Amino acid sequence: MKLLKLLSVLYILLFSVVLLNCGGDEEEQPKSPIFSDVEIITLYTPDAIEISSADTSNFKFTFCLPSEVSYAVLGIFYSAVPIETNGNTFTNPDNLIAGSRTGLTGWGRGEVSASNLYEFDNIDDFNENKPFSLSGTYHWAVWGYDKWGNLTHASEQWEVIITY
Amino acid sequence: MIKNIFQQSEKLLFICVFIFMTTLVLRTVSLYGATRTVGAVNFTNHTGSSGLQYLSTALPESITATLSQIKNINVVERGQLTAVVKEIELGQTGLFDEKSVKKTGKILQADVLFIGSYTGNPVEVILSLKAVDVKTGRVLDGKVVKAPLKDLFDSTNQAATSMSAIISGAAIGTLSITTTPDGADIYIDGLPVGKSPIIETKLPEGKHTIKAVKSGFIEAETTITVGKNTRDTWSPYLAESKVRNRTDIGANVYYFIPFNENLKAAPLYAIFLGQSFQRLYMGAEIGYSRIKHDLDISSPFGTLTQERWYDYFLIQGHLTYAPFEINSYLQPYFGIFGGWGYLVDYRKSSTHSDDEEKLSSQHIWSLGPKAGLTIAPFSKVSLFLETRFLFTPQKVERKVYESRGILGGLEEKQTVYYFNAFSIGGGIKLYFN
């Protein structure tokens, strides 16, 4: 009898743990910055993974840039492969498709409108003459430099799905 | 016809060249005098001391060696004298007559004979020296040298040198030299002629460089043009030289100017300790400089300037020589230096709490020449100005960074270059003694 009670309690505990873990997997975004040995840049929005394409003209990428960051980049990557880095550079730069940075039209410190994104020139910068419209599934992240050009800050990568 | 004219012209040209060359040679001979051949027979010992007998051959040997350095004078090898000494017996009697001199001169093929006799003792030897014209038997010039044995050879050679002007047959003038203080060694055209005062020494016509040197005094030098039968005087004041052994400490600052364009000129501060040994100086120096080498990085955000600098610590040894004083207030010097240095490369950083990040460090050896001028070198405190060329045998490392654009952080690359530099500066010295 006692053994049966004990088994019942263990079963309930085990079930509760499994239930909690499953629920967490579904909505959680990655929590570590895309580069190692850097300070964190906090991302705010869009925190929801799925966004209707009807809303893209209104939504903004928002984030918090610490004061030490003099220059920053918002990068939009194809979502098929997550953003990968080694040291202070990307190992899959071909996945960078668009974004914005300090100095380009529409760049705001801490916010960039989805309508102010530009295509990557496939060399080392965005092409301000080629605006980019979101449509599909992407990863996005923000990284920042100090005033001497050193990569000092980075955010985690978040996924966003633009649905029709 | 034309051929004939051409041959005539050729002959005329040859005659012109011949006349020109002959004139040139004759003029040269008349300017410098004909070469005279001089011999010196053994001197006569009247001291009564067999211990001084060696002077009878040693002094003429020394005279011929000295005269052989003088222009327009040939000397007869002393070895040839052995054959004639017995015959004429000048060496035994010290007496000479016109006949024996002519005979000796003919055998030796000499124009002038040096004949001498000496008396006295090692404390003071008195030498009577004569230069006799072989053709006429006439005494051209004579000197009496009084000197202790230790100075006898110097004094004799000086006397022979001063007699050389007449011997050479050139037109002569006289020069008297007095110095304040007296007792200075006098050099005429680089040859020692005695101690000042020197009264009416005979010199061939022309320019002569005269130098007075006395230990403990600043030497004096001049150029005098002696004319035929002129009488010149030179009376320099020899300022006391205060060169002595001294110990000093001091500090200096230099403007360090590297040759590499990446490095910016910067002040280099140093302190030193030194010791002079008369005109030689040895010192040790420790120094420091902060040398900027900012790096411009081209990036999508514009040109970013990374603040960079080397902290340069050095320990060097210095060896200099001060050959003379311009006057009591200015003393030039030159020398060499070399030593060890430690170079630390830094950059400004926002990720380090002290705002600077050490990138690398390395040992660096250096050496080079230097030259300078000491102001008031004999005072208790003196100033100096100096220039240096610093040469580093090995190359210095420098990390540089290139932008990857927006694709991550800076890319690090290693470069090397020589750390050679020129520096100019000055300092202050404080003497302990």
Side-chain angles (χ1 to χ4, degrees), chain A residues 71 73 88-89 96 101-102 120 123-126 143 145-146 148-152, chain B residues 297 300-301 304-307 347-351 355 404-410:
Chain A
Y71 312 99
V73 179
N88 65 357
T89 187
L96 179 63
R101 63 163 171 81
T102 306
F120 179 53
I123 302 172
D124 63 356
D125 200 3
F126 299 118
W143 56 97
Y145 302 85
D146 64 11
W148 298 290
N150 299 303
L151 181 68
T152 54
Chain B
I297 301 166
F301 309 109
L304 308 177
T305 300
Q306 199 174 67
E307 289 179 56
R347 70 171 176 178
K348 279 275 187 189
S349 171
S350 59
T351 55
D355 204 32
R404 291 190 175 102
I406 58 170
L407 295 175
L410 300 172

Side-chain angles (χ1 to χ4, degrees), chain A residues 2-35:
Chain A
K2 278 186 180 178
L3 184 64
L4 193 62
K5 276 186 179 176
L6 188 63
L7 284 172
S8 301
V9 170
L10 283 173
Y11 178 77
I12 291 165
L13 283 173
L14 189 64
F15 182 78
S16 303
V17 169
V18 169
L19 199 63
L20 283 171
N21 278 341
C22 289
D25 276 348
E26 276 184 15
E27 299 294 333
E28 201 166 298
Q29 300 270 23
K31 293 294 182 190
S32 57
I34 56 173
F35 294 106

